[in-house]
Amino acid sequence: MNFEDIEQVAVLGAGNMGHGIAEVAALAGYDVTMRDIKEEFVDDGYENIEWSLGKLAESGQISDEEADAALDRVEPLVDFEPAVAEADVVIEAVPERMDIKKDVYGELEEYAPDEAIVATNTSSLSITELSEVTERPEQFCGMHFFNPPVRMALVEVIRGEHTADETLDAIEELAEAFDKTPVRVRKDSPGFIVNRVLVPQMNEACWLVHDDVATVAEVDSTTSFDMGLPMGAFELGDQVGHDVTLHVLEYLHEVLGDAYEPCPLLEEKVDAEELGKKTGKGFYDYEDGGVEIPADEGRDDVEARLLAVMANEVGKLVENDVAPVSDIDEAMMLGAGFPEGPGKRADAYGPDDLVETLESVHEETGAARYEVSEGLRAAAEEGGFYGDDDEGETVEYDQIVVETDGAVGHVELDRPARMNTITVQMIDEIDAALDQFDADEEIRAVLLEGAGDRAFSAGFDAASAAPGSGLEASEMSRKGQRVFGRLEEVGMPVVAAIDGYCLGGGMELATAADMRIASESGQFGQPEHNLGLLPGWGGTQRLKHVVGEGRAKEIIFTAKNDYDPETMADYGFVNEVVSPDEYDDRKWELARDLAGGPPIAQKLTKRAMLAGRDDTDAGLEYEASAFGQLFTTDDVWEGLAAFQQDREPEFEGE
């Protein structure tokens, strides 16, 4: 089965994952049958799809007509035969138990077309073992979506021992058609990528508390504030459900051995039916205040231990050729919301130090989970998972200029002869510059601009890269999306200073900044439609959040390249328009003013806004938690004291 031949998708299971996958497929234009064992299950799933599509239309992400059309493409069924009889791809999303899945495949073989591909949404079970129940193991693979499928970008595409390359290629292309980012798991390894890294870290958090090394508050303060993860480790466990985490751990323990022994504290929570948010209580009590994480109780030794455990799992995955470190990092950022991948984070921390941490704890406890993997040892010997490319301050930049001016990190796109057009190399260099600023505690704001006075950036330099295939072009798009997205995620304000042309990919880069200042000579536009293209570095998504969907469609569909700064200020894109004489002074004044602000509050504000971009309730929950956390910081008391004393505050980020 080739991707081009896929027209109908069958989803087996109408629960949270099943109806979510069915909705994603229908939104992508596929005819979908959604089957479950009882009419009430199917009806509930269908009603959830209808509700979700309504929410997407209500928020302006799709039109009412698109919502209706997607719902019309979904056919809910209980009878097995009509559900799969004409399917080109069958995605199984039944409960995460080997026996249940195997029973389903027996019935599937009776009715599904011989050429149909079968993909399982399992999060950890063996693809090979499941495939061997079928008569088509070469047409069987893993297609692991993340919850909720409508919002989460990652799909792990997993090879079983018998899976044909053609099957993996077709499913990867299908995932892209679903507007998802596929990451290939090269070997059938328990937990695949995200669960294999994340679940041992959550288990280690439990061991730290169980062994009286740290408290829940100290662990979550460390993970949420010091490590910058989207949630505290215990907060995440409460969200996932401790029964789910324990189930994955038990499977890892059974298949891989004592390194994955579940912590008794986790087992106690499950036995007490304190499963987390879904039962009203886990490590936090959701009927009595919910999550409260102090911002100032993080500990260096806790961070070292948690990072060492994650890096050790990365080492095992790389060592066993399950995935390269770059794919692991991408999967963790997309599937777990990490601000950067554990491989890059381990390199920044120092693999030698992480090896030493594991060896020390292993000597103290004798526990198998602290045995250092050969992959991590090799990374330490080679100067990091990514090699010894960035020792100290020896990062080499060719197409950008990176400087620091006090608390401001300055990035200048440095191709003035080509109007600072963006290349793939420049994107990589911007990524490296953000790494540099992240590692420098003195940097508290970023100023981004173009060299010369002709252009901030006139867009993508098409002559610098001619993708040989649609897949290569998609990879280039994803790289730009990820790196530009870091400007939104980095825990400090980012100012784009715009003089001259700001077009195409250059405007997409500016859109990712927090604020934009323009000289009167600025000129804006997204002219991609004139080339038969679309903004491919996040522009179709970010621009509508800045100027509203109506204005975003106007800018993209008209493909004009002569919007003036005053118009863009009226649209809400430009925050400030200044004369050429004032431009240089004002851009630095703004950046330095922002750098003098409260860094913890600024970081949490950006995260709250991102969390609520597509889910207001999630944003409000983060906001309330962050508001309480800020009252534990020195910065708040400094701000209050400065206000009372009528002076400028001196925030220290503490």
Side-chain angles (χ1 to χ4, degrees):
M1 175 71 65
N2 295 318
F3 165 70
E4 294 78 11
D5 300 321
I6 299 173
E7 296 179 355
Q8 182 155 325
V9 176
V11 179
L12 304 182
N16 285 338
M17 294 304 296
H19 72 68
I21 295 168
E23 181 181 355
V24 167
L27 281 168
Y30 290 91
D31 293 326
V32 183
T33 55
M34 180 179 67
R35 186 261 174 184
D36 215 315
I37 59 175
K38 291 184 179 181
E39 195 77 44
E40 62 189 273
F41 297 164
V42 174
D43 290 345
D44 284 348
Y46 190 80
E47 288 172 7
N48 275 300
I49 293 174
E50 185 174 20
W51 176 86
S52 177
L53 290 170
K55 283 292 185 182
L56 291 174
E58 184 181 313
S59 66
Q61 297 180 62
I62 60 175
S63 66
D64 290 334
E65 293 75 17
E66 288 170 328
D68 292 341
L71 190 64
D72 287 343
R73 294 188 193 103
V74 180
E75 182 180 5
L77 294 166
V78 173
D79 292 340
F80 206 114
E81 182 175 2
V84 301
E86 298 181 9
D88 301 307
V89 171
V90 180
I91 302 174
E92 169 269 302
V94 304
E96 189 77 345
R97 283 178 48 187
M98 188 73 78
D99 56 341
I100 295 177
K101 292 181 184 291
K102 288 182 176 180
D103 286 345
V104 168
Y105 299 146
E107 207 167 355
L108 174 67
E109 284 300 330
E110 185 176 351
Y111 300 119
D114 292 341
E115 66 275 11
I117 292 174
V118 179
T120 174
N121 183 55
T122 180
S123 61
S124 58
L125 299 179
S126 169
I127 304 301
T128 302
E129 183 175 347
L130 290 171
S131 75
E132 290 173 347
V133 178
T134 75
E135 297 173 7
R136 62 187 84 203
E138 72 287 347
Q139 294 163 227
F140 191 104
C141 69
M143 190 180 192
H144 179 212
F145 291 78
F146 286 73
N147 195 22
V150 174
R151 287 174 46 202
M152 297 297 286
L154 177 66
V155 173
E156 292 177 326
V157 177
I158 308 109
R159 178 191 293 276
E161 288 183 16
H162 312 295
T163 309
D165 288 340
E166 293 79 4
T167 299
L168 291 171
D169 292 342
I171 292 300
E172 282 190 349
E173 290 189 70
L174 182 64
E176 290 173 350
F178 287 175
D179 198 25
K180 302 300 176 186
T181 301
V183 171
R184 184 173 293 197
V185 183
R186 299 176 179 180
K187 284 186 179 179
D188 183 12
S189 180
F192 312 136
I193 294 175
V194 174
N195 280 337
R196 180 66 175 274
V197 176
L198 192 61
V199 171
Q201 184 240 43
M202 295 163 69
N203 193 39
E204 182 60 21
C206 290
W207 280 108
L208 284 165
V209 173
H210 177 268
D211 293 341
D212 293 324
V213 175
T215 65
V216 169
E218 288 170 336
V219 170
D220 273 8
S221 183
T222 300
T223 48
S224 184
F225 292 97
D226 295 359
M227 298 175 72
L229 303 185
M231 289 185 179
F234 290 104
E235 180 186 11
L236 176 61
D238 277 0
Q239 289 281 346
V240 171
H242 301 300
D243 54 335
V244 176
T245 304
L246 180 60
H247 174 75
V248 175
L249 271 171
E250 288 174 337
Y251 182 72
L252 294 175
H253 188 208
E254 176 187 348
V255 177
L256 297 175
D258 288 343
Y260 302 91
E261 177 188 1
C263 177
L265 179 60
L266 183 62
E267 295 174 321
E268 290 166 10
K269 284 291 179 185
V270 175
D271 289 343
E273 297 187 355
E274 295 179 356
L275 306 182
K277 201 168 185 180
K278 62 186 175 184
T279 60
K281 186 175 183 181
F283 286 98
Y284 295 95
D285 189 338
Y286 295 89
E287 296 174 358
D288 185 25
V291 178
E292 292 185 9
I293 303 174
D296 59 349
E297 292 190 26
R299 286 172 38 186
D300 292 343
D301 59 331
V302 171
E303 178 177 0
R305 189 121 144 216
L306 293 173
L307 181 55
V309 167
M310 285 196 295
N312 210 30
E313 294 304 317
V314 173
K316 293 174 186 177
L317 293 174
V318 172
E319 166 193 344
N320 293 306
D321 196 31
V322 175
V325 67
S326 57
D327 285 359
I328 296 168
D329 279 357
E330 181 177 29
M332 294 304 295
M333 288 188 288
L334 292 173
F338 279 32
E340 62 181 342
K344 277 199 170 182
R345 185 179 287 270
D347 282 3
Y349 190 94
D352 285 331
D353 292 334
L354 297 176
V355 168
E356 185 178 333
T357 295
L358 289 171
E359 288 178 336
S360 175
V361 184
H362 185 254
E363 182 178 350
E364 178 185 335
T365 66
R369 61 186 175 276
Y370 303 122
E371 292 176 359
V372 182
S373 68
E374 290 304 314
L376 180 57
R377 287 194 188 279
E381 292 171 2
E382 294 166 10
F385 286 107
Y386 288 89
D388 194 8
D389 294 331
D390 53 355
E391 292 183 352
E393 300 182 16
T394 61
V395 178
E396 296 290 335
Y397 298 106
D398 180 54
Q399 298 189 359
I400 64 175
V401 175
V402 178
E403 300 173 329
T404 59
D405 185 288
V408 177
H410 182 221
V411 176
E412 185 177 63
L413 312 183
D414 191 29
R415 304 182 76 221
R418 297 192 61 85
M419 292 193 290
N420 300 318
T421 47
I422 298 170
T423 67
V424 174
Q425 179 182 341
M426 182 185 286
I427 293 173
D428 287 335
E429 292 185 11
I430 293 171
D431 196 20
L434 292 175
D435 285 341
Q436 180 178 328
F437 296 156
D438 262 342
D440 188 341
E441 295 181 357
E442 300 300 317
I443 301 300
R444 295 190 181 172
V446 175
L447 176 61
L448 178 64
E449 64 177 331
D453 58 3
R454 297 176 61 206
F456 171 78
S457 170
F460 177 58
D461 186 351
S464 70
S469 69
L471 183 60
E472 289 180 24
S474 294
E475 290 299 324
M476 185 171 65
S477 172
R478 278 193 284 271
K479 174 179 283 194
Q481 289 170 352
R482 180 185 69 78
V483 174
F484 289 10
R486 289 192 65 191
L487 295 172
E488 294 181 304
E489 296 163 0
V490 69
M492 62 190 80
V494 179
V495 176
I498 300 159
D499 190 20
Y501 293 113
C502 181
L503 305 175
M507 184 165 162
E508 290 186 86
L509 178 60
T511 306
D514 299 305
M515 298 180 68
R516 287 157 290 277
I517 182 172
S519 77
E520 293 171 348
S521 63
Q523 187 170 322
F524 301 82
Q526 297 282 179
E528 286 86 352
H529 277 196
N530 286 334
L531 304 174
L533 294 171
L534 55 71
W537 288 330
T540 63
Q541 304 304 304
R542 291 192 187 95
L543 185 59
K544 66 184 181 183
H545 294 297
V546 176
V547 301
E549 185 164 344
R551 290 298 190 194
K553 286 180 176 177
E554 172 202 323
I555 292 167
I556 295 172
F557 288 145
T558 62
K560 291 168 55 179
N561 62 3
D562 59 354
Y563 283 94
D564 59 62
E566 290 77 12
T567 299
M568 296 304 284
D570 289 341
Y571 285 5
F573 185 82
V574 171
N575 299 89
E576 199 173 328
V577 181
V578 296
S579 69
D581 292 342
E582 300 172 311
Y583 173 72
D584 282 333
D585 289 339
R586 179 57 187 147
K587 69 189 179 189
W588 280 104
E589 180 184 20
L590 177 58
R592 288 169 181 144
D593 283 349
L594 293 171
I600 300 175
Q602 289 172 333
K603 176 176 69 174
L604 293 180
T605 298
K606 290 184 68 167
R607 289 183 181 170
M609 287 180 171
L610 275 177
R613 174 168 288 179
D614 295 316
D615 186 343
T616 301
D617 289 342
L620 290 172
E621 184 173 335
Y622 193 101
E623 177 188 282
S625 175
F627 191 79
Q629 293 158 16
L630 285 168
F631 268 90
T632 69
T633 66
D634 292 343
D635 278 356
V636 164
W637 303 113
E638 164 62 14
L640 293 171
F643 176 77
Q644 292 173 344
Q645 297 165 16
D646 194 24
R647 61 175 174 82
E648 288 296 318
E650 297 180 5
F651 296 114
E652 299 293 335
E654 298 175 354

